[in-house]
Amino acid sequence: MSFESRHGNRRAANRLSVVASYITLSSVVYYAGAIVLLHLLRADFDPAHRYLSEYAVGRYGALMTSTFFVLSAGSLALSMGIWQSVSSRLRFFPGLFFWLAWAGGVFLAGVFPGDLQGTPHTRVGQIHEKMGMIAFPSATVAMVLISVPLRWEDKWKSVWRSAVLLSMVVVVGFLVFDRFAQVVAVSADENHQACIGYRVGQRQRVLWFHDVVVAEQDQSRCTNRPQVRVGHV
C-alpha cells in the first residue's frame, strides 16, 4: 500500500472518529434535554417513585421513546469510532461486544415499552424489563473492558488512567445502588409498605447518570482525540 493510500485511510478514520464523537455527545445532550422536559410536562409523575421508562406511557410518550433510539444510535456511533481508531482491535473486541449488547438492549427497550407500576404485567412490559437487565450490566462491564486497553494505545496513554478510574466509579455505583434497592425493598416489605415504586426513581436516575452519561462522555472523549497521532431502562 502506498504512502498516499495509507495517509488517505488515516484521514478517513480521523474524520469518522470525530463524527462518531459528535453523534455520541449529541445523543447524550438530546437524552438529558428530553428527560428534563418530560419532568416538566409530566408533573403528575413523582420522579422519586417513577421509572424513567414510565414516561413512555401516556402523554408525550413518543418523546421518551425517542430517547431510547437516540441513545442506541449514539452508542453504535461510539463503537464504530473506537473500532476504526484503535491500533489493536482484538484488545477492544470484548468491551465493544458488551457495548453493542447495551446498545441493542436500549433499542429493544424502546420498541417494547414498559408497564406502569401498579398495573397488570404484560408480555411487552416483561420484555422491556429483561432488556434493562441486559443493558445496565453490559454497559458497566463494557466501560471497564474498553478503558483498560487504552494503556497500549499511544495516542490515548494520557487518558487511560482517568478512564479506568471513571469506569471503577461506574462499577461501584452500579453495585451500591443495585444493592441499596434490594435492601429498601426488603425493608419496605417487612414494614408492610408498598414495595412498588419505593424510591426506585431516585436510584434509577443516579444509575442512569453513572452508566450512560459518564460512560459515553468518557469514551467519546477518547474517540475525539486526534489520530495523526453508564430492572427497567
Side-chain angles (χ1 to χ4, degrees):
M1 183 180 293
S2 65
F3 172 79
E4 291 79 6
S5 179
R6 290 195 301 269
H7 184 65
N9 290 340
R10 188 180 300 113
R11 291 182 61 183
N14 289 346
R15 287 195 296 269
L16 179 60
S17 294
V18 172
V19 171
S21 177
Y22 280 124
I23 293 176
T24 303
L25 292 174
S26 297
S27 70
V28 174
V29 171
Y30 177 89
Y31 172 81
I35 293 301
V36 171
L37 183 58
L38 282 168
H39 279 70
L40 298 175
L41 295 174
R42 295 300 306 269
D44 55 314
F45 275 9
D46 184 355
H49 303 286
R50 289 287 186 177
Y51 287 111
L52 289 172
S53 59
E54 292 186 75
Y55 286 90
V57 181
R59 292 178 298 148
Y60 312 108
L63 180 59
M64 183 65 218
T65 300
S66 70
T67 64
F68 292 106
F69 301 135
V70 169
L71 280 179
S72 180
S75 299
L76 287 174
L78 178 58
S79 299
M80 292 177 60
I82 293 177
W83 184 258
Q84 289 292 331
S85 62
V86 297
S87 60
S88 177
R89 293 175 176 177
L90 185 60
R91 292 194 184 106
F92 289 86
F93 181 80
L96 291 176
F97 173 81
F98 281 100
W99 192 252
L100 289 176
W102 146 263
V106 171
F107 180 86
L108 291 176
V111 174
F112 301 96
D115 300 317
L116 288 175
Q117 296 179 78
T119 62
H121 282 261
T122 65
R123 180 57 180 167
V124 171
Q126 291 174 351
I127 295 176
H128 179 92
E129 292 177 359
K130 292 183 184 299
M131 292 304 102
M133 295 171 62
I134 293 173
F136 279 121
S138 295
T140 304
V141 173
M143 190 173 181
V144 177
L145 296 180
I146 292 175
S147 299
V148 172
L150 296 177
R151 179 178 183 179
W152 293 279
E153 294 290 322
D154 292 336
K155 56 184 175 294
W156 289 347
K157 281 185 177 180
S158 61
V159 302
W160 83 270
R161 286 187 176 86
S162 61
V164 171
L165 178 61
L166 206 53
S167 68
M168 292 297 102
V169 173
V170 171
V171 172
V172 172
F174 175 81
L175 295 176
V176 169
F177 286 105
D178 186 67
R179 178 57 181 168
F180 174 74
Q182 297 177 25
V183 172
V184 167
V186 172
S187 176
D189 184 54
E190 290 176 348
N191 290 280
H192 305 288
Q193 299 174 1
C195 293
I196 296 179
Y198 190 77
R199 296 291 176 184
V200 294
Q202 289 181 352
R203 176 186 70 90
Q204 191 202 37
R205 282 155 179 77
V206 174
L207 191 58
W208 262 108
F209 176 80
H210 275 83
D211 268 13
V212 180
V213 179
V214 174
E216 294 209 16
Q217 289 283 353
D218 179 61
Q219 302 304 336
S220 64
R221 178 181 61 176
C222 293
T223 60
N224 197 30
R225 294 178 64 82
Q227 292 186 44
V228 284
R229 47 137 176 115
V230 334
H232 265 256
V233 177

